[in-house]
Amino acid sequence: MSKITALRAALAVAFLYFGLRKLTGYSSDIAIYEAIGFGQFPRYVTGSIEVLGAALLWRRGLEGVAGLVLLATVMIGLAVLLIWVGPPYWHMLVLIAGTGTIACHHRAQLWRLTQPTSRNM
């Protein structure tokens, strides 16, 4: 197993764990979203994105997209924690490093997705 495959597996497990916690209403997640003050709706959106992103990490051709979407999600989450909630953030920094590595590893794939095809011209 390659290092990137192992990283994708670890990230998939982590995002499934955190996403399902949010979707099932784990008490500490409910408290965090209450502290933010936007209600519980963002918890469901974030949890859904995390679960979908974990699945997309294994979809051939979309690994880079999954890495980029999850990276953006974690960076927004870190900003929210820094502004409204407070520590701990260490796990967010680890997830940023991991998702950034996946997105960077698949940058050629991401580049191809942004290029026009002959059908679009």
Side-chain angles (χ1 to χ4, degrees), residues 4 8-9 12 15 59 69 76-78 87-88 96 102 111 117 119 121:
I4 287 295
R8 282 181 21 221
F15 281 106
R59 177 75 168 103
V69 167
I76 291 167
L78 178 61
I96 286 172
I102 294 295
W111 178 252
T117 62
R119 293 180 302 201
M121 292 183 170

Side-chain angles (χ1 to χ4, degrees), residues 5 7-8 13 50 65 71 82 89 93 98 104 111-113:
T5 303
L7 178 59
R8 282 181 21 221
V13 168
E50 289 174 346
V65 172
L71 176 61
L82 288 170
Y89 339 105
L93 300 174
C104 186
W111 178 252
R112 280 191 305 273
L113 290 173

Side-chain angles (χ1 to χ4, degrees), residues 49-105:
I49 290 171
E50 289 174 346
V51 170
L52 181 63
L56 287 178
L57 283 170
W58 296 103
R59 177 75 168 103
R60 183 172 291 281
L62 293 177
E63 302 98 328
V65 172
L68 205 55
V69 167
L70 291 171
L71 176 61
T73 303
V74 176
M75 290 178 75
I76 291 167
L78 178 61
V80 167
L81 281 178
L82 288 170
I83 294 168
W84 283 292
V85 180
Y89 339 105
W90 66 268
H91 66 288
M92 304 290 273
L93 300 174
V94 171
L95 291 173
I96 286 172
T99 54
T101 300
I102 294 295
C104 186
H105 180 77

